[in-house]
Amino acid sequence: MPSRNFLFSSLLLAALLAGTAQAASDTLVVCTEASPEGFDIVQYTAATTADASAETVFDRLVSFVPGSTELRPGLAERWDISADGLSYTFHLRQGVKFHHSKAFNPSRNLNADDVLWSFQRQLDPQHPWHQLAGRGFPYAESMGMAALIERIDKLDASTVRFTLKHPEAPFLADLAMGFASIYSAEYAAQLLAQGQPDRLNQQPIGTGPFVFERYSKDAQVRFRANPDYWDGAPKLARLIFAISPDPNVRQQQLKAGDCQVALYPRPTDIPALRGDPELKVLELDSLLVAYVALNTRHPPLDDVRVRQALNLAFDKTVYLRAQFGAGGASPAVAPYPPTLWGHDASLKGWPHDLERARQLLKAAGQQDGFHLSIWTRPGGGPTNPNPGIGAQMLQADLAKIGIQADIRVYEWGELIKRAKHGEHDLVFMGLAGDNGDPDNCLTPNLSCAAAESGENQAGWCDPQFDALITKARQVPEQAQRAELYRQALAIFHKQAPWIPLAHPKQFSALRRDVDGFVLSPLGSNNFSRVELK
């Protein structure tokens, strides 16, 4: 029998969508797991925020071929790279239009001023918009972009040159990530003149395939197609994100036809979904990593022996089976999956060994145990399908070695904000490689710069590890970079700032009439080429 909460959520979502989605064959309704943190994508890192902004409203100079990590031209139709790897010159497309909306009517097309504004805002502390980002610029900060980019020059109205302080092998791929989205400098100037800079985060304007219409908090986000999209107008007239943290609700709404796509179904539900003749299930080995970050700024988690003991205490084999079922994920050892180059096949995961864990706690002077907090979220997503169950399993295993843990549940956006400030002890998290380069799993999540910015939830800063990944970004040869990453991964494994959990497979469930949607290994979802047949 359905729970009262389930019935309420179902009725609420049905009411919101009534008279629109089911009646319109050109409207796609996507049931998704969480609300966007905002729409000013440079301030945020959550995948749901990227789906509702970077993949809909905005574009970048460089983009990915759908369903792959292969780079292709975006707002820049071509680029030149100097022989020393220090200069990148981008030639912008002509005639690219910004969105027209109730909030803004652009007087010109995209030009070099928009590119300069979009990056200098993040990099220059003296820029008038730099201090207006309440959440800062997590990707730019954790990836050390200000220390990398020496200057950005406007060569003419359609040509921009980036000059780097040192070679950076993943730089081009970095520019295809959400934080490199291009904004309208004209819209920003209008908002600043009106004294309404907050509207940049509430009413976004970009060049992307969909135009933002409105957001009903924790309920839905509505977009309409951009008829002037430079890469061809979408075949959909409207796109709606219907928000429900409960995967049961998403699944039932999909079956009822109230949405045509259900993102992030639980792996344990996949067999039943595949058995429904009205549905189809997409599956992909993506660049996802599930982990528990151990806050090394909080004693006794600053002791490597304690962190190793926690890794030994948690029975990850049982956890994977309960969370992902058979074949839904592979066990994680490192911060990125073995499908990426630079992986060290010789690294073995921590075994489940309670006696060895107790010995390490005794050596650290913690044989009498201690208290800590385990943070998680409600609902569930691809890296944490059943958050409550996972937290309880970790809590029970830690109790076996004398560690008493309290479970605290926070809404996704609140959890990210608090974890960035380092309030947690242990927090269940997940990441998706954003550009297909191993560095993207390391620098934004484990570097010293990321610890300072708060995106490194472990707060872990190891000088030797940091030096290795920094050097790996600066050498061009992949074989040399791979060797440096293998050395870095060995340090990560020994120092144990995380409990690596899983590399989940990525799933989406669709109704049979949905065509043109492909899963991305980067964990993002783009609907610009989707149609309903």
Side-chain angles (χ1 to χ4, degrees):
M1 180 177 180
S3 70
R4 293 173 64 185
N5 286 339
F6 170 76
L7 288 173
F8 175 77
S9 299
S10 300
L11 290 170
L12 175 62
L13 183 56
L16 286 166
L17 302 179
T20 59
Q22 290 177 312
S25 61
D26 56 0
T27 295
L28 182 74
V29 181
V30 179
C31 285
T32 188
E33 61 164 332
S35 301
E37 304 153 280
F39 296 93
D40 184 12
I41 182 59
V42 300
Q43 296 193 55
Y44 308 110
T45 59
T48 48
T49 303
D51 285 354
S53 54
E55 297 295 330
T56 48
V57 177
F58 295 105
D59 289 308
R60 289 148 291 285
L61 295 173
V62 185
S63 66
F64 294 107
V65 173
S68 79
T69 58
E70 180 184 347
L71 295 176
R72 66 173 184 175
L75 293 177
E77 61 184 2
R78 58 187 176 88
W79 51 82
D80 307 309
I81 306 174
S82 63
D84 60 7
L86 296 178
S87 176
Y88 290 72
T89 303
F90 294 91
H91 305 272
L92 304 183
R93 293 183 186 277
Q94 300 298 303
V96 176
K97 299 180 183 299
F98 281 101
H99 297 160
H100 288 256
S101 73
K102 294 179 181 178
F104 178 62
N105 285 307
S107 66
R108 61 167 176 80
N109 293 336
L110 168 82
N111 67 27
D113 293 331
D114 303 306
V115 178
L116 265 62
W117 187 93
S118 300
F119 284 94
Q120 289 174 341
R121 168 200 181 198
Q122 301 183 64
L123 304 177
D124 181 4
Q126 304 306 314
H127 193 279
W129 278 82
H130 186 80
Q131 301 300 328
L132 298 178
R135 297 283 293 273
F137 306 100
Y139 263 123
E141 292 165 2
S142 63
M143 296 170 71
M145 283 291 161
L148 168 65
I149 299 174
E150 181 174 320
R151 66 181 184 274
I152 307 173
D153 297 307
K154 172 184 174 182
L155 303 186
D156 58 43
S158 59
T159 312
V160 177
R161 182 173 61 208
F162 288 71
T163 302
L164 309 185
K165 297 178 182 177
H166 55 74
E168 184 84 352
F171 182 67
L172 204 58
D174 290 343
L175 294 189
M177 294 168 56
F179 83 96
S181 294
I182 304 302
Y183 289 65
S184 166
E186 183 184 16
Y187 180 49
Q190 173 184 300
L191 294 179
L192 202 59
Q194 294 171 345
Q196 297 179 314
D198 289 348
R199 283 173 54 192
L200 192 75
N201 194 30
Q202 300 162 4
Q203 297 175 303
I205 294 291
T207 62
F210 293 98
V211 180
F212 174 83
E213 287 192 322
R214 65 180 182 271
Y215 169 47
S216 300
K217 184 173 173 56
D218 297 331
Q220 64 172 229
V221 192
R222 299 178 71 94
F223 305 89
R224 58 180 168 84
N226 175 10
D228 300 318
Y229 189 45
W230 59 268
D231 200 25
K235 296 179 180 179
L236 299 167
R238 278 182 165 73
L239 172 65
I240 300 172
F241 288 164
I243 301 160
S244 176
D246 189 335
N248 289 321
V249 173
R250 298 197 298 272
Q251 182 173 321
Q252 292 304 318
Q253 292 297 331
L254 177 70
K255 290 183 176 181
D258 291 327
C259 61
Q260 290 77 44
V261 179
L263 299 177
Y264 316 124
R266 289 178 300 209
T268 51
D269 292 334
I270 295 302
L273 291 169
R274 284 192 170 129
D276 190 322
E278 298 299 321
L279 306 178
K280 54 185 176 181
V281 176
L282 304 184
E283 175 183 336
L284 183 69
D285 288 323
S286 59
L287 302 179
L288 297 175
V289 186
Y291 64 95
V292 178
L294 314 181
N295 192 344
T296 63
R297 294 160 292 198
H298 288 184
L301 298 175
D302 57 343
D303 190 317
V304 65
R305 295 167 295 186
V306 173
R307 301 196 299 271
Q308 291 175 347
L310 267 61
N311 270 274
L312 289 164
F314 194 28
D315 192 338
K316 292 178 281 295
T317 300
V318 174
Y319 171 84
L320 257 69
R321 187 164 59 246
Q323 288 281 46
F324 300 99
S330 58
V333 176
Y336 60 80
T339 52
L340 273 183
W341 53 270
H343 179 76
D344 188 348
S346 69
L347 281 182
K348 304 300 179 184
W350 292 94
H352 180 51
D353 189 336
L354 295 176
E355 183 57 34
R356 176 61 179 152
R358 294 187 186 102
Q359 292 172 2
L360 285 170
L361 289 182
K362 183 176 181 180
Q366 299 294 333
Q367 62 271 18
D368 296 328
F370 54 92
H371 286 78
L372 50 73
S373 62
I374 299 173
W375 287 29
T376 191
R377 57 183 291 185
T383 59
N384 196 356
N386 295 284
I389 292 175
Q392 291 166 19
M393 295 178 75
L394 178 58
Q395 180 188 51
D397 280 353
L398 294 182
K400 295 174 184 176
I401 59 171
I403 299 174
Q404 303 304 308
D406 300 320
I407 297 174
R408 302 179 189 176
V409 181
Y410 294 96
E411 179 272 328
W412 182 231
E414 185 70 12
L415 182 143
I416 293 174
K417 182 173 70 174
R418 287 174 173 265
K420 181 174 180 176
H421 292 153
E423 299 175 24
H424 60 288
D425 292 324
L426 276 59
V427 58
F428 278 84
M429 295 296 293
L431 67 88
D434 291 301
N435 64 11
D437 191 289
D439 174 73
N440 186 247
C441 297
L442 302 177
T443 295
N445 302 290
L446 288 162
S447 66
C448 293
E452 185 175 349
S453 74
E455 294 306 309
N456 176 346
Q457 297 95 1
W460 179 66
C461 173
D462 184 282
Q464 187 180 359
F465 176 90
D466 211 59
L468 285 167
I469 64 173
T470 298
K471 184 177 180 181
R473 293 196 304 272
Q474 297 177 12
V475 297
E477 295 81 11
Q478 183 171 307
Q480 187 178 356
R481 294 184 69 202
E483 175 56 32
L484 293 168
Y485 286 139
R486 283 190 283 270
Q487 295 176 37
L489 294 182
I491 295 171
F492 165 87
H493 180 68
K494 182 178 180 180
Q495 290 295 313
W498 291 359
I499 302 176
L501 298 175
H503 299 302
K505 289 187 176 181
Q506 188 176 342
F507 298 98
S508 284
L510 298 74
R511 295 196 64 82
R512 287 284 177 187
D513 58 348
V514 176
D515 191 47
F517 176 62
V518 295
L519 291 178
S520 168
L522 305 171
S524 55
N525 295 285
N526 185 295
F527 300 96
S528 62
R529 290 292 170 263
V530 173
E531 60 181 312
L532 298 175
K533 292 186 175 181

